[in-house]
């Protein structure tokens, strides 16, 4: 399907695959594969982070015979078996990124889960109890993962793949009390230093489908529940078209 001028990515997050979901996602993934050159998954791929759920997901993903790139989400960490989830998906051919870059059809993809902590003046600072400092440090480390992945890319066209949001605009619609747990402005900082064509994330099921960073990069919330509700007349994945180009010189 790769065209002469653009690469089409189908993006979705928050699939929340359960053990009893076997077979229910196959048609969805087939539609995505027919519509795009690659599939991007923005975390919360499983519901409880169980290997059994990952196996069900891997089986349903087998119908999508296009490159698949993913990051994990908070649900994928729920049972402390995220390494097994990652391994099962990797064995099924999914590129699961955690601070690494990859290249698909000449487009660079930098992926990290991200973390929470709030936005702008509402961001939590590393002051006070050790637990608060540890919490903020987790957000900082995830932002550093994203920055490291972006810095390694050598393509002119780039996508940032996250689970948590880097901006407040795409979590609008959620209860304001939980904004600090939906993302972090610290994830926006690397995007200001290493601009990309588009940022994709999930997590905020009741958020807003689109926003922009401070440097005008489009940010898309592709949480499946949000896409189902917002675009009820089409399959719940977002198509992102990126101009085709060759990698730049090292």
């Amino acid at each position: 399907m790769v065209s002469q001028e653009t690469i089409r990515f189908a993006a979705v997050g928050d699939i929340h695959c359960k053990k009893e979901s076997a077979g229910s996602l196959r048609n969805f993934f087939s539609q995505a594969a027919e519509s795009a050159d690659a599939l991007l998954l923005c975390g919360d791929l499983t519901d409880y982070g169980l290997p059994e759920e990952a196996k069900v997901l891997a089986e349903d993903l087998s119908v999508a015979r296009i490159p698949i790139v993913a990051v994990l989400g908070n649900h994928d960490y729920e049972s402390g078996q995220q390494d097994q989830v990652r391994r099962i998906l990797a064995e099924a051919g999914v590129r699961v990124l955690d601070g690494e870059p990859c290249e698909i059809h000449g487009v660079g993809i930098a992926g990290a889960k991200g973390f929470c902590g709030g936005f702008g003046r509402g961001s939590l600072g590393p002051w006070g109890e050790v637990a608060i400092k540890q919490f903020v440090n987790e957000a900082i480390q995830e932002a550093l993962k994203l920055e490291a992945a972006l810095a390694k890319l050598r393509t002119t066209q780039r996508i940032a793949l996250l689970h948590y949001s880097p901006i407040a605009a795409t979590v609008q619609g959620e209860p304001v009390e939980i904004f600090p747990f939906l993302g972090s402005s610290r994830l926006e900082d690397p995007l200001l230093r290493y601009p990309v064509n588009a940022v994709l994330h999930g997590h905020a099921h009741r958020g807003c489908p689109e926003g922009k960073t401070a440097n005008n990069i489009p940010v898309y919330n592709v949480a499946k529940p949000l896409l189902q509700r917002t675009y009820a007349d089409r399959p719940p994945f977002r198509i992102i078209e990126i101009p085709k180009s060759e990698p730049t010189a090292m």
Side-chain angles (χ1 to χ4, degrees):
M1 168 175 279
V2 180
S3 73
Q4 293 299 311
E5 297 182 353
T6 63
I7 308 299
R8 289 169 61 87
F9 292 90
V12 64
D14 303 83
I15 296 165
H16 293 281
C17 184
K18 301 177 175 64
K19 289 184 283 187
E20 57 271 24
S21 298
S24 65
L25 293 166
R26 293 175 74 86
N27 184 58
F28 172 68
F29 291 134
S30 291
Q31 288 178 306
E34 290 168 4
S35 303
D37 304 305
L39 176 60
L40 305 179
L41 303 177
C42 293
D44 280 2
L45 312 179
T46 61
D47 205 34
Y48 283 92
L50 296 170
E52 296 89 342
E53 295 172 336
K55 290 176 182 177
V56 169
L57 178 61
E59 180 61 30
D60 278 11
L61 279 170
S62 66
V63 302
R65 301 188 182 279
I66 55 175
I68 304 172
V69 183
V71 295
L72 299 185
N74 56 306
H75 276 249
D76 302 313
Y77 278 70
E78 167 62 20
S79 298
Q81 300 184 73
Q82 61 273 7
D83 291 339
Q84 293 95 311
V85 169
R86 186 180 292 109
R87 176 182 55 77
I88 290 164
L89 293 175
E91 289 174 352
V94 180
R95 296 282 297 272
V96 183
L97 304 180
D98 183 25
E100 302 90 17
C102 72
E103 185 178 322
I104 301 293
H105 299 310
V107 177
I109 301 170
K113 173 175 63 65
F115 196 60
C116 37
F119 304 98
R121 294 180 64 185
S123 295
L124 183 64
W127 196 91
E129 298 95 326
V130 170
I132 295 293
K133 294 173 182 175
Q134 291 172 334
F135 185 92
V136 173
N137 184 61
E138 185 71 15
I140 292 171
Q141 293 306 313
E142 287 294 320
L144 289 173
K145 284 183 182 181
L146 176 61
E147 180 158 8
L150 289 167
K152 292 173 184 174
L153 288 175
R154 294 295 179 265
T155 55
T156 55
Q157 311 297 343
R158 306 173 177 191
I159 292 173
L161 193 63
L162 295 163
H163 179 61
Y164 289 86
S165 177
I167 61 172
T170 49
V171 305
Q172 297 290 336
E174 295 278 5
V176 67
E177 294 85 358
I178 68 169
F179 274 26
F181 305 103
L182 298 174
S184 170
S185 290
R186 289 184 170 89
L187 294 169
E188 184 181 25
D189 293 340
L191 301 167
L192 305 181
R193 289 187 284 273
Y194 298 95
V196 297
N197 297 73
V199 183
L200 303 167
H201 75 85
H203 193 46
H205 293 198
R206 291 179 286 176
C208 181
E210 298 181 22
K212 289 187 177 181
T213 63
N215 56 340
N216 221 34
I217 295 170
V219 179
Y220 301 105
N221 179 352
V222 295
K224 189 167 180 276
L226 173 63
L227 297 182
Q228 286 173 319
R229 186 174 64 254
T230 306
Y231 307 109
D233 59 336
R234 60 194 199 221
F237 51 79
R238 180 123 197 180
I239 295 294
I240 306 294
E241 294 198 41
I242 303 296
K244 191 174 182 181
S245 67
E246 297 299 323
T248 58
M250 295 290 285

